[in-house]
Amino acid sequence: MNRATVRLMLPGLLTAAAAGCGGSLDGREITWRNGDVELVGTLVVPDGEGPHPLAVFVGGSGCVPRSHRMTREHASELAARGLAVFAYDKRGCGESGGDWRDVPLEPLADDLLAVLPQLVADPRINADRIGLMGVSQGAWVSLIAAEKSSRFSFIVMLSGPPMTPAEQAHAIVELALEAKGWDPRSIADAVALDRVVAEVYRTDSGWEAARLAVEEASNEPWFEDAPVGIQSRDSWNWRWYATLMDHDPLPSLSGLGIPILAVYGELDMIVPARRSQRIVEELAPSARGPRETVMLPGVGHELRPGKGESWPDEHWDILASWLTRYDILAAR
């Protein structure tokens, strides 16, 4: 095989299987259905007298069970600060049925909406203080859910892209080449090629021309450092990606009348952090509700310094402070 075909294609980067799984959440297990799909989650409630505010934790792309380390640590740390957390196995992961690869973003939002009656009915939960905490792709899902239900009173986006999945994919190419020190012309050529491939996925046409374009580009010096390529037409990945690649979160980000916090890591190589922060801040003056951003130094997409490391204290302090300021958490 040649260099143009032996490559991890970009939608694969956006759907990498969740790492850091293991362990379990200690709380009330809840089972519910969305249509013919049965899902399973755990409600973690703080000690002490309730009712408590609640965040529904919405995982990112790929197969994300509630045993993921990011989910477990957020549930534990936030519960210690007075916030109940509901985390669940994404459809097709852990104990949940169905398959996330068979659906676009909206059914994933419907999955979490279907459990709301059980959460609201729990006497330990403050039904007027329920929000969403979406990680990466989970931010898109959270915004969709909030558009469909007036139940939610806040959203926290953790590394959530304020752009379409297609634009995020192009940004990944740009970030990868910038990190390797490539010049603006080379970066522009790589992104242009990625746009050609995206159009093939979008329209299911022009496959041969795009393959030839990728083959020709494989001779360019920058190609080895660019996550650009074209998948096989019989791959499930591009078909799934085509169902969501043009989803635009900006109308929800602007139109929702609830507070939204967007947290980014300055070293993120999956979501363009500075560009994302700028987008959210530029729409803030005209948004229906408060919009705030935070840029955490020295951390990447998961908002921690490295895979084996814990989240910095600053991360938890920022979340608790913001939630307190909007009267979601009680002041301590």
Side-chain angles (χ1 to χ4, degrees):
M1 286 188 171
N2 57 48
R3 293 171 63 209
T5 56
V6 188
R7 303 179 66 79
L8 174 64
M9 305 314 167
L10 195 48
L13 287 175
L14 298 180
T15 60
C21 297
S24 61
L25 292 175
D26 184 16
R28 172 195 167 196
E29 185 170 290
I30 297 177
T31 301
W32 76 102
R33 301 189 72 87
N34 177 23
D36 60 356
V37 176
E38 184 173 89
L39 299 113
V40 182
T42 301
L43 176 62
V44 180
V45 180
D47 294 331
E49 185 178 354
H52 303 280
L54 169 70
V56 178
F57 199 83
V58 188
S61 61
C63 190
V64 185
R66 64 193 190 277
S67 60
H68 191 279
R69 181 181 176 184
M70 187 171 193
T71 305
R72 298 196 321 271
E73 291 207 17
H74 276 74
S76 175
E77 291 286 347
L78 293 171
R81 289 162 173 79
L83 182 71
V85 175
F86 178 72
Y88 60 97
D89 293 339
K90 190 176 185 177
R91 61 164 62 196
C93 306
E95 298 180 71
S96 289
D99 192 336
W100 61 269
R101 296 172 296 183
D102 292 339
V103 295
L105 297 173
E106 186 166 342
L108 299 181
D110 292 337
D111 286 348
L112 72 87
L113 291 173
V115 76
L116 278 179
Q118 291 194 58
L119 300 176
V120 170
D122 192 309
R124 300 171 297 172
I125 299 303
N126 184 342
D128 295 325
R129 294 289 185 272
I130 296 178
L132 296 155
M133 190 166 291
V135 182
S136 193
Q137 183 196 92
W140 291 323
V141 175
S142 297
L143 291 167
I144 294 170
E147 286 280 11
K148 301 179 78 168
S149 173
S150 60
R151 173 61 66 184
F152 302 111
S153 59
F154 66 93
I155 295 176
V156 176
M157 298 167 48
L158 302 177
S159 301
M163 60 195 68
T164 68
E167 285 303 317
Q168 181 201 355
H170 304 324
I172 291 175
V173 176
E174 185 176 342
L175 288 169
L177 291 181
E178 285 179 345
K180 293 289 187 177
W182 286 100
D183 59 281
R185 176 61 182 272
S186 297
I187 295 173
D189 288 347
V191 172
L193 177 62
D194 197 54
R195 291 187 183 277
V196 169
V197 174
E199 190 63 19
V200 171
Y201 299 156
R202 184 177 286 115
T203 63
D204 190 14
S205 64
W207 287 87
E208 187 57 28
R211 286 193 187 95
L212 290 174
V214 172
E215 178 67 29
E216 183 177 355
S218 68
N219 297 312
E220 296 292 338
W222 51 260
F223 187 82
E224 196 66 32
D225 294 325
V228 180
I230 187 165
Q231 298 185 51
S232 167
R233 193 175 181 216
D234 58 8
S235 167
W236 68 268
N237 199 307
W238 77 265
R239 294 182 186 278
W240 165 81
Y241 178 62
T243 68
L244 57 86
M245 63 187 295
D246 292 318
H247 170 71
D248 185 1
L250 286 183
S252 298
L253 263 174
S254 178
L256 286 168
I258 58 177
I260 298 178
L261 172 66
V263 183
Y264 298 104
E266 68 168 354
L267 304 182
D268 198 330
M269 296 297 289
I270 302 297
V271 171
R274 293 293 179 191
R275 187 188 311 175
S276 296
Q277 184 181 44
R278 184 171 64 251
I279 290 171
V280 176
E281 291 182 348
E282 287 177 352
L283 67 78
S286 61
R288 287 188 58 213
R291 304 291 182 262
E292 296 181 43
T293 68
V294 172
M295 183 68 65
L296 290 174
V299 300
H301 189 61
E302 285 197 347
L303 303 175
R304 53 177 171 159
K307 287 290 184 183
E309 300 185 54
S310 294
W311 281 262
D313 290 341
E314 181 185 6
H315 175 69
W316 310 119
D317 292 343
I318 286 168
L319 296 181
S321 175
W322 185 83
L323 291 166
T324 301
R325 187 146 41 85
Y326 285 99
D327 197 30
I328 298 158
L329 280 180
R332 295 192 171 190

